[in-house]
Each structure stands twice: as C-alpha cells, then as structure tokens.
Amino acid sequence: MPRPLRRAPCLAGGGCPSLPFPARPEELVLWFLAESWGSRGAMLRAFSYVTDHTGFCGTIKNSPSDFVVTEIEMPEHLLRDIRAELLQKTSEAPLEQSSPRLQQPKKLRTESPGPRAEGCRGGAPSPSERDPSRAGGDCSASPNKNPREGEPELKSGLEEASVLDSLLGKPMSELLNKFACDLKNAWDLENNADAGTREFSLGPILDKKNRADLHSAVRQKFPFLVTLTKDNEMIVKGNADYRELCQLVTEKETSDFFKFLDAKLENSTFSFEPDGNKEHRKVVHHFINRKFGKLLETKSFTVTDVNDQPNMSIMVRFREKSWSRKRSAGGFQEKQDVYTAFTLQKENLETLEAIGFLAAELGVLPSDFSYTGIKDKKAITYQPMVVKKVTPERLKEIGSKMEKKGMRIHNIHSACQHLRLGQLKGNRFDIVVRDLKHHSHDSSADLKERISEAMENVETKGFVNYYGPQRFGQGQNVQTDQIGLALLNEKMVNAVKLFFTPEDTDDPVNNAKRYFLQTEDAKGALVMLPEFKVREKMLLRALNRYGVNHEGCTKGWLNIPHSMRIFYVHAYCSKIWNEAASYRLKIYGSKVVEGDLVFSEENDESVSLNDKVHVVTAAEESANKYSINQVVLPMVGHSIKYPSNKVGQWYHERLSKDELQMCKFRVSPLQLNIPGCYRPILKNVQNLSYFLEGSEKGIEDNYLNESKVSLHISFDLDPSCYATVCLREIMKCDF
C-alpha cells in the first residue's frame, strides 16, 4: 500500500452557495469576491506536497537582487560573467527607477501653419523665431549659415546653400530662396488664394544625375517644397501636405518628417514628440495614413519625455514589402533582414514593459523582438532576445539610456533569425531566503538540520509541478482565471465587470475602474484612466461605441489583442490543472494506477501529441511499469484525452461545476481556440546547491541563530516551472 502524499491543511471552507437571483452586475462581482474567492491568497495551501520533511520559514524577494533568474540557453561564457557580476552585486543599490507621472496633454494647434522664413519681412514672429531650435527648413540667403545641430549635412559637409549654388549657380539659387520665402509669407495669409498654385521654374536640366541631385538638394534645404520634372524642365512648388501637417505638429517635426520621408533609408524610423492627447494623436495617425498609407505605417508607443515621465509618441516607419531584391554581380538575390541578438538584464521591470522601452528608443515595434519567456518583475533577470531591423551598432548606442530604466544590454552580436519558444532550455535561479526560523509547530532546536533534510528530500523526490500564484495575479481582488472562466462561458458582460474590478487603493487607475463599475460610463472612465493603461482604454473605447451589453462587451474583448484574450482562458485552464494534480495525489499517492496517462519520449514529429500519451493498463499497474515521474495530466481543451479512472471523472464533474460540461473550448465570438496539452505531475530540480551566510554569532556549533543568517539557494528548472513552487516544497510554506 503506497504511503499517501502529504497534504497541507485546507483553509478554504466547504462548497460555494448558489448565486442569489436576480442580481445586478456589480452584485455579481461582489458575490464572486466574497464567496468563491475569499481565500485566494492561500490558493496553494490546500494542495499536496510530494515530500514529508518538516521544512522551515523565511522570506524571499526582499530586494530584486535576492531573486536572480537566468535563462539556461545563454552561452556558457556569459553565464560565468554574470555569476562574477552577481558576487559584486549584493552591495550595490538597485537601479534607479522613475515614478510614472503624466505630462499635460498636447492640444491641437490653432495658430498659423508654420513659421515665417528667416529674413522674410512682415507678420508676427513665429514659434521658430522665438525659439530657433524649433525651426524647420532654412530660408536664409546666406550661403555660409551653419546647419542646425542634429540635421544631416550634404555632400561631404557642404552646406545645402553651397550645394544649390554649385548645381544652379548663385543667381538662380538666390531666386529659389526668394520664391521659398515669398511662398512661406503667402501661407501665413489664410485668404491668399494663389498660395497653393505658385510655381517656380529652375529651367531645363538635361543631365539625369544632376536632376536627381537637384531634387534631393532642394527638398533637403526646403522640406516644404516639392520638385517635379516636365520635359526636362524642373518645377518647384509648395508642398500642400507639408502645410497641412504644420497645422497639427510643430514646424520642426514637420520638417524632420519630410526629410525622413525623402531619404527613404532602409529600416529607418521617425518619431514625433511625446503627445499625451489621444484625440490629437488620432488626427495625426489619420493624416499620415490618408496621405502616405501605402508607403508608411504608424503606431503609438509609451516613451519617456524630456521630464523623464511616461508619455505617448507616434512612431512612423516604411512598410515592409513581402519580398525585395537587390542587384548583385551575379544577378538578383533576396534581401536579408537584419537581426541582432543580445542578453537583456532587467531589474524591477515587467518583460513587456522593458520591451516597450527598447522599442520606443530604437524606433521599432514590440513585435520586432523575440524572446522565449516572461520573467519575474521583482527580480534581476537575464534572458536572450533577438531584435529585427536593428544593427548591433545601433543597439550599443542606447545602452546608457536603458540603464536609467533598470536595464542593461549584454553580449550584442549579429544573428540569423528570431528566437523561438522551443529554444528555451530552462532557467537558473539564484535565490536568497532571509528571516530564517522554525515553523510554529516545530520544537526542534536544529534549524540547520531542517534545511539540510529539506534540500536532500527535494533533490531526490522533486516537487509537485503546480502553476505558481503569479500565474493568476497574486494578491489581486479578481484573478485572471475568473475572467477566463467568464469568457469560456461567453458571459461577456460579467467578464468585463471582473476585468474592471478595482483594488482597494486610491489611485487614478483604480478610481477609474471603480467609477466605471458604478456608472457604466465608458467615456468618463476613459478620461480618468492614465494614458499608459492601453489595454483598458482599448476595451473602454469599444464599450463607449457599442454599449455595455452582451454585443458591446463581445466587441470590446475583440478590441484587445488575441494573445491577451487567450491569456485569461489559459489561466483558468492552469487553475483546473492545479486542482486536478492535488486530487490525483490525494487519492492515488505516488503509485501509477490503471487509467493514468503517461507520456512517451518519442521524438518522431509525425506522431501526434495524443498518440504520445498512453493510458496505463491493469497489467502495467501490476507490473509497476511506470513511475509517478512519467504521469501527466491534461490541460483542458478540445483535443486532449482524460484519464480513464477517478481523475477523469473528477475533470468532468469539476467542469460541470463551472457550467462547462458541454464546453468545446472554442469561443467563436472571441476567435479563441483551446486545443489543450499535457503537463507532468512532478518535476525534478537540477544542479541544486545551497550555503548559509551570516555573522559568526549567527552560526555556532552547527546551530543557527534565527534571523541572523540567510540561505542562498541555486537550482535549474525546466521551462514553465515555477521557482516559488519549488521553494514551497523545500520550505513547506507559501508565498
């Protein structure tokens, strides 16, 4: 008879009462919180342990440097460098962080469409005359005027005016300058009807190369002009698109944008100044898409403004072609994309937040980054990444700026392609446990012995492969699996209410959520929400347009990315797996029984996932053919098979309890498809090591003086395993 696995005392009480009916949506949310999830902070406490040692107490993540995560895929020489750095890190202060604060939103411009040219008479002074650094273009006739800082020089350092003098001759160059100044003056007179029809002829230019050079030189010096050729005659006239954009953004931004557009440099991008006004950004987006939509694409990013505060900015880049070719001596060959690999070190940052900072600084999209996993926030983490369309030299340039955000970039080198999820081999954890002490029920005086037996036990037997509490939104009033269940049941309104349930804090985000739940005023909540809450704003915009009803909420969920919709559903599936694993270990212990599922190590890619999963027979149970380490449990979905024993029956009863007995795990209205997969019940820890650190008074005669000693633990885990779950097994306490 196998010894039953140890089970922690269940702190949750009984079953859940039936829902009072009828109930308003806000009452439904409160009922969920009070009845179904009142003990969520202790989610894992009712679950099993695979080991039977006593354990000990302590605290983790007292600072980010107490919890270091390194992806094992990283090159070995870099791992050595990181270990050396960590030894020096313990005495260093955390990287400086800036507190989020929004800048005053930018307003639509109402003044005249652009500054008056330098040297041109008449009219009030323009913004660029008051602040020369804002000026775009140059109407000065002086050929010796130095270019403004940050603008590209032409022809090996020659001034634009000198280039035009050499191409046109000085008299014609001065006439062109006068035409440009007169045109700018006319633009300032709103009732001047002929301003948009004025043209200036540069005369016939027969040489094709000279025409190309002249086109470029004119547009670089006068971005508000356009050039065209009629029967070898070059014509110059005002650029109506430039004039229109000047009504939306500053002259300098307009000038720089058209220079970017004219240069057409491969993989280049252009970013407008930070702009906190959503409606204003929308107008700018629409202008660029309407005028240049076939050539350019735009996207808003979170950036840091000049005051080191978070804000939003519009980034523009050239659209990618499905393929492109370049001419070589041997004919045509396909153009190769640029990929740069690097190792990202981040501290006290979410992975997606870090990528947002990098993307904004490099002028690329977050989707241009590939990585193999999401890492902890309150930690120092190291993970390989690959970014597309960025050279190693460009990535090196932003290193010092990223350090101010809590990031460092290591091991920069060229790569051939993106990273793929399957490339992650696991993670290395270096953890410090502080405030060591006995459990309250433990009368032993030898804490050192408790630690030793715990390490030996877990190294030998492994740990239950639960999903960690961070998977479900640890400490939140509403956790992610609850939203996932509502989506699976197609209770769209309830899912929205759960999504917007606030935490018990007084801040702009939670005040906006609280206001929405009380009033269902999506437009008002939109105004209250900070700009960086992109996901919430996407949902609220759809609710404002379509209403807070079933159809409107469905369209609202469709308005956020598919990866986020499926995230909530996967959280629910993870919760069910945790409960199933606990039930399986409670009734069968570590013995493999008839009806269990075991996973084959078959590497043949032609064999389907289900064909690799074998149902244990009675004869195989009697022969003890399999070990508990080979047993897997399904993550619920439409393409998996269930154990053919009491565990399989448990799955059906558990899904029925959540009204999912007929669920096909396809939510067509939300375009969600959940096929399911399999997860091992137990996992082993690899390369486990530990040592105690403290003062001489802390360790005397092999006994520990509690709280004066810290425990340093290092171990490797496979992908999708949680270090906090492994620590739970070692210490027999929850975090």
Side-chain angles (χ1 to χ4, degrees):
M1 183 76 179
R3 181 175 60 186
L5 273 78
R6 219 181 135 171
R7 181 178 166 88
C10 181
L11 301 182
C16 296
S18 59
L19 174 64
F21 187 83
R24 297 192 302 274
E26 58 269 27
E27 291 176 334
L28 180 63
V29 171
L30 293 174
W31 179 84
F32 261 106
L33 296 177
E35 300 296 338
S36 297
W37 309 100
S39 59
R40 276 312 195 87
M43 174 181 282
L44 291 181
R45 292 180 186 170
F47 292 164
S48 301
Y49 294 112
V50 69
T51 53
D52 58 2
H53 59 267
T54 302
F56 53 93
C57 293
T59 60
I60 63 171
K61 294 189 176 182
N62 290 274
S63 70
S65 59
D66 280 357
F67 203 94
V68 179
V69 188
T70 307
E71 283 195 7
I72 296 176
E73 179 69 5
M74 208 174 299
E76 186 61 34
H77 73 274
L78 186 59
L79 282 172
R80 290 196 297 269
D81 293 343
I82 289 170
R83 297 286 174 255
E85 182 179 354
L86 286 176
L87 293 176
Q88 302 174 355
K89 181 74 179 171
T90 54
S91 61
E92 295 180 6
L95 293 171
E96 184 179 352
Q97 296 292 311
S98 59
S99 58
R101 196 155 47 93
L102 290 177
Q103 193 183 44
Q104 190 69 18
K106 182 189 289 186
K107 297 179 180 179
L108 281 169
R109 285 185 48 158
T110 56
E111 63 264 26
S112 64
R116 202 169 307 283
E118 250 183 83
C120 301
R121 303 295 181 186
S126 69
S128 62
E129 288 175 304
R130 294 190 295 268
D131 179 4
S133 68
R134 291 166 60 93
D138 176 16
C139 287
S140 172
S142 170
N144 297 319
K145 177 174 173 61
N146 291 326
R148 294 180 311 282
E149 184 179 354
E151 290 190 358
E153 297 182 1
L154 294 177
K155 299 290 183 180
S156 303
L158 290 175
E159 313 290 350
E160 291 99 325
S162 300
V163 174
L164 288 172
D165 286 353
S166 65
L167 291 171
L168 293 172
K170 192 164 185 178
M172 180 62 77
S173 178
E174 289 178 350
L175 290 173
L176 173 61
N177 190 80
K178 184 178 185 304
F179 168 79
C181 290
D182 291 344
L183 181 69
K184 276 296 200 65
N185 288 337
W187 277 3
D188 287 341
L189 302 175
E190 295 183 2
N191 296 324
N192 193 320
D194 73 334
T197 61
R198 294 187 181 190
E199 293 183 353
F200 178 75
S201 174
L202 299 178
I205 310 294
L206 300 179
D207 184 82
K208 185 176 181 180
K209 183 179 183 302
N210 286 345
R211 284 203 305 270
D213 291 342
L214 194 52
H215 277 298
S216 177
V218 170
R219 289 196 296 262
Q220 285 295 318
K221 184 177 181 185
F222 306 112
F224 54 89
L225 299 179
V226 292
T227 57
L228 56 147
T229 304
K230 294 180 181 178
D231 299 326
N232 294 328
E233 179 187 13
M234 284 198 64
I235 305 295
V236 180
K237 61 186 220 177
N239 187 340
D241 293 338
Y242 185 103
R243 186 181 185 188
E244 185 175 348
L245 184 57
C246 273
Q247 297 173 347
L248 304 177
V249 299
T250 66
E251 172 82 7
K252 185 178 189 307
E253 290 175 279
T254 304
S255 173
D256 291 346
F257 169 77
F258 277 92
K259 287 183 178 181
F260 154 78
L261 184 62
D262 181 59
K264 292 185 175 64
L265 295 177
E266 184 179 0
N267 297 326
S268 64
T269 61
F270 173 82
S271 294
F272 287 95
E273 292 298 319
D275 180 0
N277 188 318
K278 169 66 172 75
E279 295 306 315
H280 178 260
R281 292 201 312 274
K282 185 176 180 181
V283 173
V284 177
H285 278 296
H286 285 176
F287 168 82
I288 294 174
N289 290 332
R290 174 166 47 89
K291 295 291 186 179
F292 312 105
K294 292 184 178 180
L295 182 64
L296 303 174
E297 59 184 350
T298 63
K299 190 172 183 68
S300 290
F301 288 100
T302 301
V303 297
T304 301
D305 60 25
V306 293
N307 298 318
D308 205 29
Q309 302 302 326
N311 209 329
M312 301 296 290
S313 175
I314 296 174
M315 189 272 284
V316 186
R317 75 176 184 183
F318 292 98
R319 289 190 181 277
E320 287 188 46
K321 297 180 181 179
S322 56
W323 62 274
S324 59
R325 300 187 298 175
K326 61 181 179 180
R327 190 70 177 262
S328 65
F332 287 99
Q333 63 181 22
E334 290 189 6
K335 182 184 73 176
Q336 297 295 316
D337 286 316
V338 176
Y339 293 94
T340 296
F342 63 99
T343 299
L344 176 66
Q345 173 191 345
K346 64 177 183 65
E347 180 173 331
N348 221 25
L349 276 178
E350 302 281 1
T351 300
L352 298 180
E353 184 181 9
I355 289 173
F357 284 135
L358 289 167
E361 189 64 38
L362 293 168
V364 296
L365 298 173
S367 57
D368 288 323
F369 289 82
S370 59
Y371 48 95
T372 55
I374 301 293
K375 297 292 180 277
D376 300 71
K377 176 181 179 179
K378 192 174 182 181
I380 299 175
T381 68
Y382 298 83
Q383 63 186 123
M385 289 190 177
V386 172
V387 60
K388 188 179 178 182
K389 304 179 186 133
V390 175
T391 64
E393 293 72 25
R394 175 70 181 109
L395 191 57
K396 290 175 183 177
E397 291 174 0
I398 69 168
S400 59
K401 287 186 178 180
M402 292 301 100
E403 286 196 23
K404 296 178 182 179
K405 305 290 186 187
M407 292 178 279
R408 292 177 183 172
I409 304 172
H410 307 283
N411 194 32
I412 300 172
H413 60 280
S414 296
C416 299
Q417 61 183 4
H418 270 312
L419 287 175
R420 297 185 302 275
L421 287 176
Q423 292 178 252
L424 175 59
K425 304 302 181 187
N427 292 288
R428 176 75 175 175
F429 296 90
D430 296 281
I431 300 169
V432 181
V433 184
R434 303 189 187 276
D435 305 315
L436 297 172
K437 59 183 179 180
H438 291 85
H439 283 298
S440 58
H441 57 78
D442 184 11
S443 59
S444 170
D446 193 350
L447 183 57
K448 192 173 181 180
E449 179 62 30
R450 287 283 181 252
I451 294 172
S452 177
E453 69 178 4
M455 297 298 178
E456 182 179 346
N457 244 344
V458 171
E459 187 172 28
T460 302
K461 300 179 181 178
F463 60 96
V464 186
N465 194 22
Y466 292 123
Y467 287 95
Q470 57 266 50
R471 175 83 167 189
F472 312 101
Q474 187 175 22
Q476 297 177 358
N477 283 339
V478 170
Q479 298 192 310
T480 53
D481 58 276
Q482 298 169 254
I483 301 172
L485 173 59
L487 293 177
L488 282 170
N489 278 321
E490 299 190 26
K491 296 179 179 179
M492 306 304 183
V493 177
N494 183 30
V496 166
K497 300 287 185 179
L498 290 168
F499 180 83
F500 282 107
T501 298
E503 301 303 315
D504 301 326
T505 56
D506 182 15
D507 58 77
V509 173
N510 286 296
N511 288 340
K513 290 182 175 181
R514 200 170 288 114
Y515 172 80
F516 174 73
L517 276 188
Q518 292 169 352
T519 65
E520 295 189 357
D521 177 11
K523 187 174 183 179
L526 261 173
V527 175
M528 297 173 66
L529 266 178
E531 197 68 36
F532 65 88
K533 300 303 289 185
V534 177
R535 189 167 63 245
E536 287 82 352
K537 281 182 168 286
M538 293 172 74
L539 189 49
L540 284 171
R541 287 189 197 102
L543 297 176
N544 180 49
R545 182 174 181 181
Y546 300 109
V548 189
N549 50 40
H550 180 82
E551 181 182 1
C553 290
T554 301
K555 291 182 177 179
W557 283 110
L558 285 171
N559 209 40
I560 69 173
H562 178 272
S563 60
M564 187 51 59
R565 299 197 299 275
I566 200 75
F567 166 79
Y568 292 112
V569 174
H570 283 165
Y572 172 78
C573 298
S574 302
K575 172 180 176 286
I576 296 302
W577 191 95
N578 276 4
E579 294 179 10
S582 187
Y583 177 80
R584 163 62 181 77
L585 293 172
K586 175 186 175 183
I587 62 170
Y588 293 131
S590 58
K591 179 177 175 59
V592 181
V593 301
E594 180 182 2
D596 273 339
L597 304 179
V598 293
F599 195 73
S600 166
E601 298 298 331
E602 177 64 57
N603 291 322
D604 187 351
E605 293 184 0
S606 64
V607 178
S608 70
L609 181 63
N610 275 339
D611 289 339
K612 293 181 180 181
V613 175
H614 170 70
V615 181
V616 176
T617 64
E620 290 168 336
E621 176 187 348
S622 300
N624 293 321
K625 182 176 180 179
Y626 299 104
S627 73
I628 186 64
N629 297 83
Q630 294 171 279
V631 176
V632 297
L633 287 173
M635 284 276 284
V636 290
H638 60 71
S639 296
I640 51 92
K641 54 187 174 185
Y642 293 96
S644 57
N645 52 27
K646 291 181 180 179
V647 179
Q649 182 61 31
W650 177 92
Y651 268 100
H652 292 293
E653 292 174 357
R654 181 63 183 83
L655 293 178
S656 296
K657 179 181 176 182
D658 284 338
E659 302 177 0
L660 293 176
Q661 62 271 28
M662 302 301 292
C663 180
K664 303 299 183 183
F665 289 93
R666 289 185 175 94
V667 187
S668 299
L670 298 182
Q671 302 170 11
L672 297 179
N673 179 41
I674 304 94
C677 61
Y678 301 89
R679 182 176 175 90
I681 291 181
L682 300 186
K683 274 290 185 177
N684 291 318
V685 60
Q686 297 99 38
N687 302 317
L688 175 65
S689 63
Y690 71 97
F691 66 90
L692 295 164
E693 183 180 56
S695 64
E696 292 183 1
K697 293 182 179 180
I699 308 175
E700 296 178 349
D701 300 327
N702 290 327
Y703 286 89
L704 300 186
N705 187 341
E706 293 182 0
S707 79
K708 291 187 178 181
V709 178
S710 59
L711 172 64
H712 294 246
I713 311 176
S714 297
F715 52 82
D716 299 344
L717 294 180
D718 288 340
S720 191
C721 292
Y722 290 78
T724 48
V725 173
C726 180
L727 285 175
R728 174 184 179 270
E729 188 79 45
I730 292 172
M731 298 170 63
K732 296 295 190 289
C733 66
D734 293 281
F735 302 102

